[in-house]
Amino acid sequence: MSIFSKIMRGEIPCYKIAENESCFAFLDINPKAKGHTLVIPKKEVDYLFDLEDDEYIALQKFAKKIAEAQKKAFNCKRICTAVIGYEVPHAHIHLLPSNSMADATLSGKTKTFSKEEMAEIAEQIQKYLG
Ligand code: AMP
């Protein structure tokens, strides 16, 4: 079972943002930006483009909702997305709040937030989820 499946099952803690019947969102533990979020399908598939079309569309629709909430929560210019997947073999979309090209990277410095700040960041996003 992937580490992300364990997170979804509550076996490993996370800063959860939201879930629906097929998708789950939580804060990246090594955030490259305040509010850096991962959106994953509940189905354990390594490679994003191996999802069935309907599963892929459901994931992107879910990501859009989270991105809209992030943008309001942090009043940033855009939410950038990235799909890498070399570290964790469970498909995930990175949602990265950004204000400039320099922010829009996963190879930048990891930001440090306390546990309390991470919990507060998750709450800030949740506030804007309809
Ligand atoms: P990649 O597979 O290269 O797209 O990167 C996987 C991402 O998952 C990285 O940004 C990690 O910081 C993140 N990550 C790994 N373990 C956890 C975890 N337990 N909770 C939250 N994020 C994680």
Side-chain angles (χ1 to χ4, degrees):
M1 186 188 299
S2 78
I3 185 170
F4 288 171
S5 289
K6 287 183 182 168
I7 285 175
M8 278 187 292
R9 291 159 64 107
E11 292 169 14
I12 293 176
C14 76
Y15 299 95
K16 180 179 167 180
I17 307 292
E19 69 178 310
N20 66 14
E21 56 290 349
S22 62
C23 309
F24 193 94
F26 56 106
L27 293 182
D28 195 298
I29 205 70
N30 302 304
K32 300 302 181 189
K34 183 179 180 181
H36 179 179
T37 295
L38 300 176
V39 172
I40 64 174
K42 288 187 174 174
K43 180 177 165 184
E44 196 172 301
V45 169
D46 175 0
Y47 184 51
L48 181 76
F49 297 124
D50 282 340
L51 287 170
E52 298 297 332
D53 287 358
D54 58 334
E55 296 165 341
Y56 177 78
I57 288 164
L59 186 68
Q60 291 289 2
K61 280 174 83 171
F62 182 72
K64 184 180 178 196
K65 277 186 69 173
I66 305 294
E68 285 167 350
Q70 285 174 299
K71 192 161 182 296
K72 287 179 190 153
F74 306 118
N75 195 26
C76 57
K77 285 193 179 153
R78 31 181 83 223
I79 305 302
C80 297
T81 74
V83 176
I84 314 291
Y86 283 115
E87 192 184 320
V88 178
H90 185 140
H92 49 282
I93 301 172
H94 293 262
L95 295 177
L96 206 58
S98 76
N99 285 303
S100 69
M101 184 70 113
D103 293 341
T105 175
L106 292 176
S107 43
K109 218 174 151 206
T110 298
K111 302 259 189 294
T112 308
F113 298 102
S114 67
K115 286 181 181 176
E116 292 75 19
E117 286 170 327
M118 289 289 273
E120 202 179 299
I121 289 166
E123 275 175 30
Q124 276 178 274
I125 301 171
Q126 285 169 338
K127 229 192 295 174
Y128 290 99
L129 283 170

PDB file of all heavy atoms in Angstrom, residues 34-36 69-76 79 97 99 121-122 124-125 128:
ATOM      1  N   LYS A  34       3.350  28.475   0.744  1.00  0.00           N
ATOM      2  CA  LYS A  34       2.300  28.392   1.750  1.00  0.00           C
ATOM      3  C   LYS A  34       1.042  27.830   1.082  1.00  0.00           C
ATOM      4  O   LYS A  34       0.589  28.386   0.077  1.00  0.00           O
ATOM      5  CB  LYS A  34       2.028  29.781   2.312  1.00  0.00           C
ATOM      6  CG  LYS A  34       1.014  29.817   3.411  1.00  0.00           C
ATOM      7  CD  LYS A  34       0.847  31.240   3.918  1.00  0.00           C
ATOM      8  CE  LYS A  34      -0.186  31.283   5.027  1.00  0.00           C
ATOM      9  NZ  LYS A  34      -0.388  32.652   5.528  1.00  0.00           N
ATOM     10  N   GLY A  35       0.532  26.730   1.593  1.00  0.00           N
ATOM     11  CA  GLY A  35      -0.680  26.142   1.039  1.00  0.00           C
ATOM     12  C   GLY A  35      -0.442  25.100  -0.039  1.00  0.00           C
ATOM     13  O   GLY A  35      -1.392  24.636  -0.668  1.00  0.00           O
ATOM     14  N   HIS A  36       0.820  24.731  -0.253  1.00  0.00           N
ATOM     15  CA  HIS A  36       1.162  23.690  -1.244  1.00  0.00           C
ATOM     16  C   HIS A  36       0.370  22.421  -0.907  1.00  0.00           C
ATOM     17  O   HIS A  36       0.514  21.832   0.161  1.00  0.00           O
ATOM     18  CB  HIS A  36       2.676  23.452  -1.174  1.00  0.00           C
ATOM     19  CG  HIS A  36       3.207  22.405  -2.096  1.00  0.00           C
ATOM     20  ND1 HIS A  36       4.544  22.093  -2.151  1.00  0.00           N
ATOM     21  CD2 HIS A  36       2.614  21.588  -3.005  1.00  0.00           C
ATOM     22  CE1 HIS A  36       4.743  21.143  -3.045  1.00  0.00           C
ATOM     23  NE2 HIS A  36       3.583  20.811  -3.574  1.00  0.00           N
ATOM     24  N   ALA A  69     -10.292  27.545  -3.988  1.00  0.00           N
ATOM     25  CA  ALA A  69     -10.279  27.877  -2.557  1.00  0.00           C
ATOM     26  C   ALA A  69      -8.896  28.397  -2.135  1.00  0.00           C
ATOM     27  O   ALA A  69      -8.797  29.370  -1.374  1.00  0.00           O
ATOM     28  CB  ALA A  69     -10.658  26.643  -1.738  1.00  0.00           C
ATOM     29  N   GLN A  70      -7.832  27.781  -2.648  1.00  0.00           N
ATOM     30  CA  GLN A  70      -6.475  28.231  -2.311  1.00  0.00           C
ATOM     31  C   GLN A  70      -6.268  29.679  -2.763  1.00  0.00           C
ATOM     32  O   GLN A  70      -5.680  30.490  -2.053  1.00  0.00           O
ATOM     33  CB  GLN A  70      -5.428  27.377  -3.032  1.00  0.00           C
ATOM     34  CG  GLN A  70      -5.206  25.992  -2.464  1.00  0.00           C
ATOM     35  CD  GLN A  70      -4.254  25.226  -3.366  1.00  0.00           C
ATOM     36  OE1 GLN A  70      -4.559  25.004  -4.541  1.00  0.00           O
ATOM     37  NE2 GLN A  70      -3.122  24.818  -2.835  1.00  0.00           N
ATOM     38  N   LYS A  71      -6.727  29.972  -3.975  1.00  0.00           N
ATOM     39  CA  LYS A  71      -6.505  31.310  -4.545  1.00  0.00           C
ATOM     40  C   LYS A  71      -7.180  32.369  -3.668  1.00  0.00           C
ATOM     41  O   LYS A  71      -6.606  33.424  -3.399  1.00  0.00           O
ATOM     42  CB  LYS A  71      -7.037  31.360  -5.977  1.00  0.00           C
ATOM     43  CG  LYS A  71      -6.602  32.574  -6.746  1.00  0.00           C
ATOM     44  CD  LYS A  71      -6.745  32.351  -8.236  1.00  0.00           C
ATOM     45  CE  LYS A  71      -6.251  33.550  -9.012  1.00  0.00           C
ATOM     46  NZ  LYS A  71      -7.050  34.758  -8.761  1.00  0.00           N
ATOM     47  N   LYS A  72      -8.385  32.045  -3.205  1.00  0.00           N
ATOM     48  CA  LYS A  72      -9.088  32.993  -2.318  1.00  0.00           C
ATOM     49  C   LYS A  72      -8.385  33.063  -0.961  1.00  0.00           C
ATOM     50  O   LYS A  72      -8.223  34.135  -0.389  1.00  0.00           O
ATOM     51  CB  LYS A  72     -10.541  32.542  -2.135  1.00  0.00           C
ATOM     52  CG  LYS A  72     -11.391  32.766  -3.372  1.00  0.00           C
ATOM     53  CD  LYS A  72     -12.810  32.278  -3.122  1.00  0.00           C
ATOM     54  CE  LYS A  72     -13.595  32.272  -4.428  1.00  0.00           C
ATOM     55  NZ  LYS A  72     -14.672  31.277  -4.421  1.00  0.00           N
ATOM     56  N   ALA A  73      -7.970  31.923  -0.460  1.00  0.00           N
ATOM     57  CA  ALA A  73      -7.377  31.885   0.882  1.00  0.00           C
ATOM     58  C   ALA A  73      -6.084  32.695   0.953  1.00  0.00           C
ATOM     59  O   ALA A  73      -5.820  33.355   1.957  1.00  0.00           O
ATOM     60  CB  ALA A  73      -7.112  30.438   1.293  1.00  0.00           C
ATOM     61  N   PHE A  74      -5.294  32.636  -0.102  1.00  0.00           N
ATOM     62  CA  PHE A  74      -3.971  33.276  -0.041  1.00  0.00           C
ATOM     63  C   PHE A  74      -3.872  34.512  -0.931  1.00  0.00           C
ATOM     64  O   PHE A  74      -2.806  35.130  -1.007  1.00  0.00           O
ATOM     65  CB  PHE A  74      -2.879  32.251  -0.381  1.00  0.00           C
ATOM     66  CG  PHE A  74      -2.964  31.027   0.480  1.00  0.00           C
ATOM     67  CD1 PHE A  74      -3.195  29.775  -0.065  1.00  0.00           C
ATOM     68  CD2 PHE A  74      -2.868  31.136   1.857  1.00  0.00           C
ATOM     69  CE1 PHE A  74      -3.328  28.653   0.730  1.00  0.00           C
ATOM     70  CE2 PHE A  74      -2.991  30.018   2.674  1.00  0.00           C
ATOM     71  CZ  PHE A  74      -3.222  28.771   2.107  1.00  0.00           C
ATOM     72  N   ASN A  75      -4.973  34.834  -1.616  1.00  0.00           N
ATOM     73  CA  ASN A  75      -5.023  36.032  -2.447  1.00  0.00           C
ATOM     74  C   ASN A  75      -3.801  36.105  -3.371  1.00  0.00           C
ATOM     75  O   ASN A  75      -3.141  37.144  -3.474  1.00  0.00           O
ATOM     76  CB  ASN A  75      -5.108  37.270  -1.536  1.00  0.00           C
ATOM     77  CG  ASN A  75      -5.521  38.499  -2.295  1.00  0.00           C
ATOM     78  OD1 ASN A  75      -6.187  38.386  -3.339  1.00  0.00           O
ATOM     79  ND2 ASN A  75      -5.119  39.657  -1.826  1.00  0.00           N
ATOM     80  N   CYS A  76      -3.488  34.983  -4.007  1.00  0.00           N
ATOM     81  CA  CYS A  76      -2.316  34.934  -4.875  1.00  0.00           C
ATOM     82  C   CYS A  76      -2.744  35.039  -6.343  1.00  0.00           C
ATOM     83  O   CYS A  76      -3.936  34.960  -6.647  1.00  0.00           O
ATOM     84  CB  CYS A  76      -1.528  33.649  -4.635  1.00  0.00           C
ATOM     85  SG  CYS A  76      -2.518  32.172  -4.883  1.00  0.00           S
ATOM     86  N   ILE A  79      -2.726  29.549  -9.123  1.00  0.00           N
ATOM     87  CA  ILE A  79      -2.333  28.259  -8.549  1.00  0.00           C
ATOM     88  C   ILE A  79      -1.704  27.468  -9.689  1.00  0.00           C
ATOM     89  O   ILE A  79      -2.375  27.167 -10.685  1.00  0.00           O
ATOM     90  CB  ILE A  79      -3.549  27.505  -7.982  1.00  0.00           C
ATOM     91  CG1 ILE A  79      -4.320  28.363  -6.961  1.00  0.00           C
ATOM     92  CG2 ILE A  79      -3.100  26.172  -7.357  1.00  0.00           C
ATOM     93  CD1 ILE A  79      -3.520  28.854  -5.765  1.00  0.00           C
ATOM     94  N   PRO A  97       0.330  27.576  -4.764  1.00  0.00           N
ATOM     95  CA  PRO A  97       0.004  29.002  -4.832  1.00  0.00           C
ATOM     96  C   PRO A  97       1.236  29.811  -5.255  1.00  0.00           C
ATOM     97  O   PRO A  97       2.343  29.556  -4.765  1.00  0.00           O
ATOM     98  CB  PRO A  97      -0.393  29.340  -3.383  1.00  0.00           C
ATOM     99  CG  PRO A  97      -0.823  28.032  -2.795  1.00  0.00           C
ATOM    100  CD  PRO A  97       0.072  27.009  -3.434  1.00  0.00           C
ATOM    101  N   ASN A  99       2.842  33.801  -6.993  1.00  0.00           N
ATOM    102  CA  ASN A  99       2.691  35.192  -7.423  1.00  0.00           C
ATOM    103  C   ASN A  99       3.669  35.567  -8.513  1.00  0.00           C
ATOM    104  O   ASN A  99       3.636  36.688  -9.023  1.00  0.00           O
ATOM    105  CB  ASN A  99       2.872  36.135  -6.223  1.00  0.00           C
ATOM    106  CG  ASN A  99       1.650  36.118  -5.326  1.00  0.00           C
ATOM    107  OD1 ASN A  99       0.540  36.392  -5.779  1.00  0.00           O
ATOM    108  ND2 ASN A  99       1.839  35.739  -4.077  1.00  0.00           N
ATOM    109  N   ILE A 121      -3.190  26.765   8.047  1.00  0.00           N
ATOM    110  CA  ILE A 121      -3.178  26.889   6.579  1.00  0.00           C
ATOM    111  C   ILE A 121      -4.258  25.984   5.974  1.00  0.00           C
ATOM    112  O   ILE A 121      -5.008  26.391   5.089  1.00  0.00           O
ATOM    113  CB  ILE A 121      -1.772  26.544   6.029  1.00  0.00           C
ATOM    114  CG1 ILE A 121      -0.780  27.658   6.391  1.00  0.00           C
ATOM    115  CG2 ILE A 121      -1.807  26.320   4.521  1.00  0.00           C
ATOM    116  CD1 ILE A 121       0.690  27.283   6.198  1.00  0.00           C
ATOM    117  N   ALA A 122      -4.345  24.766   6.490  1.00  0.00           N
ATOM    118  CA  ALA A 122      -5.377  23.836   5.992  1.00  0.00           C
ATOM    119  C   ALA A 122      -6.773  24.421   6.256  1.00  0.00           C
ATOM    120  O   ALA A 122      -7.652  24.384   5.386  1.00  0.00           O
ATOM    121  CB  ALA A 122      -5.224  22.477   6.663  1.00  0.00           C
ATOM    122  N   GLN A 124      -7.546  27.563   6.540  1.00  0.00           N
ATOM    123  CA  GLN A 124      -7.755  28.733   5.664  1.00  0.00           C
ATOM    124  C   GLN A 124      -8.314  28.292   4.312  1.00  0.00           C
ATOM    125  O   GLN A 124      -9.189  28.934   3.753  1.00  0.00           O
ATOM    126  CB  GLN A 124      -6.426  29.462   5.428  1.00  0.00           C
ATOM    127  CG  GLN A 124      -6.039  30.449   6.510  1.00  0.00           C
ATOM    128  CD  GLN A 124      -4.679  31.075   6.181  1.00  0.00           C
ATOM    129  OE1 GLN A 124      -3.642  30.524   6.516  1.00  0.00           O
ATOM    130  NE2 GLN A 124      -4.701  32.208   5.521  1.00  0.00           N
ATOM    131  N   ILE A 125      -7.769  27.193   3.780  1.00  0.00           N
ATOM    132  CA  ILE A 125      -8.251  26.691   2.479  1.00  0.00           C
ATOM    133  C   ILE A 125      -9.671  26.148   2.639  1.00  0.00           C
ATOM    134  O   ILE A 125     -10.559  26.436   1.830  1.00  0.00           O
ATOM    135  CB  ILE A 125      -7.301  25.603   1.921  1.00  0.00           C
ATOM    136  CG1 ILE A 125      -5.892  26.178   1.738  1.00  0.00           C
ATOM    137  CG2 ILE A 125      -7.836  25.057   0.592  1.00  0.00           C
ATOM    138  CD1 ILE A 125      -4.825  25.135   1.403  1.00  0.00           C
ATOM    139  N   TYR A 128     -12.827  28.319   2.314  1.00  0.00           N
ATOM    140  CA  TYR A 128     -13.319  28.767   1.009  1.00  0.00           C
ATOM    141  C   TYR A 128     -13.849  27.635   0.139  1.00  0.00           C
ATOM    142  O   TYR A 128     -14.148  27.839  -1.033  1.00  0.00           O
ATOM    143  CB  TYR A 128     -12.210  29.532   0.276  1.00  0.00           C
ATOM    144  CG  TYR A 128     -11.937  30.870   0.915  1.00  0.00           C
ATOM    145  CD1 TYR A 128     -10.864  31.028   1.790  1.00  0.00           C
ATOM    146  CD2 TYR A 128     -12.764  31.958   0.676  1.00  0.00           C
ATOM    147  CE1 TYR A 128     -10.616  32.249   2.399  1.00  0.00           C
ATOM    148  CE2 TYR A 128     -12.529  33.177   1.286  1.00  0.00           C
ATOM    149  CZ  TYR A 128     -11.452  33.319   2.147  1.00  0.00           C
ATOM    150  OH  TYR A 128     -11.218  34.525   2.746  1.00  0.00           O
TER     151      TYR A 128
END
